[in-house]
Amino acid sequence: NQALISELIENPMGSLTDALMLVDALWPNRVRVHKDAYKSAESFETFSNEDLSIILSCATALWPVYFDMDSTNIEQDYYTRSTFELALHESPTTRKQERIMKLRDHEIDGETVRCEAHIKGKSKEFLRVYVWPDRKNQLIHIVHAGKHLETAGSQRVNKKM
């Protein structure tokens, strides 16, 4: 772990996968990065300082909001700490479409969980980081990092094209 941390700190971040490896190595008691997140990150072609900040914020901003504060407004408290938008749920239209919602299902510790909470990047590349807060183990599970998952809205946009 220490060798990986040293390597990643000495060499500039080159990809979203590098950022996931870094957060996984630096904060193992706060964040777990799942194989699905690494797989989705592979196809995310661009990488910016904003993307790195979003990934790191899972440990430095989101984790404290969920597990170290008595937050009554998780979305607002996360935004205040990070300046990134967090949505805890998908839109009602998307939630009605089971096929699309199944894209948010991930296996964590032998159990299938639906991961709707996601952090939205500000850049035009639209990074999305889907997370699942594990209240029992006090961990933020990163399950997707990459392009926006399909939604009811993206279906409408694609039909118009």
Side-chain angles (χ1 to χ4, degrees), residues 90 99 102:
E90 295 292 356
R99 180 190 63 80
K102 282 189 179 280

Side-chain angles (χ1 to χ4, degrees), residues 12-75:
M13 294 286 112
S15 69
L16 192 54
T17 299
D18 291 342
L20 291 171
M21 289 179 3
L22 181 64
V23 76
D24 207 19
L26 287 176
W27 291 285
N29 294 329
R30 290 185 174 200
V31 175
R32 290 283 187 281
V33 180
H34 291 267
K35 65 181 184 331
D36 295 341
Y38 285 113
K39 185 176 179 181
S40 58
E42 289 173 7
S43 63
F44 196 71
E45 296 171 1
T46 62
F47 182 71
S48 68
N49 287 336
E50 176 184 287
D51 300 334
L52 174 60
S53 294
I54 290 170
I55 296 299
L56 296 179
S57 79
C58 291
T60 62
L62 189 58
W63 188 91
V65 168
Y66 269 105
F67 304 116
D68 205 28
M69 296 173 59
D70 289 326
S71 178
T72 57
N73 188 334
I74 291 170
E75 292 160 311

Side-chain angles (χ1 to χ4, degrees), residues 12-158:
M13 294 286 112
S15 69
L16 192 54
T17 299
D18 291 342
L20 291 171
M21 289 179 3
L22 181 64
V23 76
D24 207 19
L26 287 176
W27 291 285
N29 294 329
R30 290 185 174 200
V31 175
R32 290 283 187 281
V33 180
H34 291 267
K35 65 181 184 331
D36 295 341
Y38 285 113
K39 185 176 179 181
S40 58
E42 289 173 7
S43 63
F44 196 71
E45 296 171 1
T46 62
F47 182 71
S48 68
N49 287 336
E50 176 184 287
D51 300 334
L52 174 60
S53 294
I54 290 170
I55 296 299
L56 296 179
S57 79
C58 291
T60 62
L62 189 58
W63 188 91
V65 168
Y66 269 105
F67 304 116
D68 205 28
M69 296 173 59
D70 289 326
S71 178
T72 57
N73 188 334
I74 291 170
E75 292 160 311
Q76 181 60 49
D77 289 340
Y78 173 73
Y79 182 82
T80 299
R81 295 176 74 98
S82 70
T83 73
F84 297 111
E85 186 180 345
L86 169 71
L88 296 179
H89 303 286
E90 295 292 356
S91 72
T93 309
T94 295
R95 291 181 108 192
K96 289 178 185 176
Q97 298 189 32
E98 187 59 23
R99 180 190 63 80
I100 292 175
M101 290 304 295
K102 282 189 179 280
L103 298 173
R104 288 135 180 91
D105 290 348
H106 298 272
E107 188 172 316
I108 296 176
D109 297 331
E111 181 182 341
T112 300
V113 295
R114 183 150 288 172
C115 307
E116 291 185 59
H118 57 284
I119 302 165
K120 303 174 182 185
K122 300 174 191 175
S123 72
K124 59 184 171 187
E125 295 302 322
F126 301 112
L127 173 68
R128 291 293 188 271
V129 177
Y130 280 77
V131 298
W132 184 69
D134 178 349
R135 295 190 187 277
K136 177 183 169 193
N137 297 304
Q138 292 196 341
L139 291 168
I140 298 295
H141 294 265
I142 300 175
V143 297
H144 173 89
K147 295 178 182 177
H148 198 301
L149 292 176
E150 184 180 355
T151 65
S154 63
Q155 284 184 323
R156 287 190 301 272
V157 169
N158 290 337

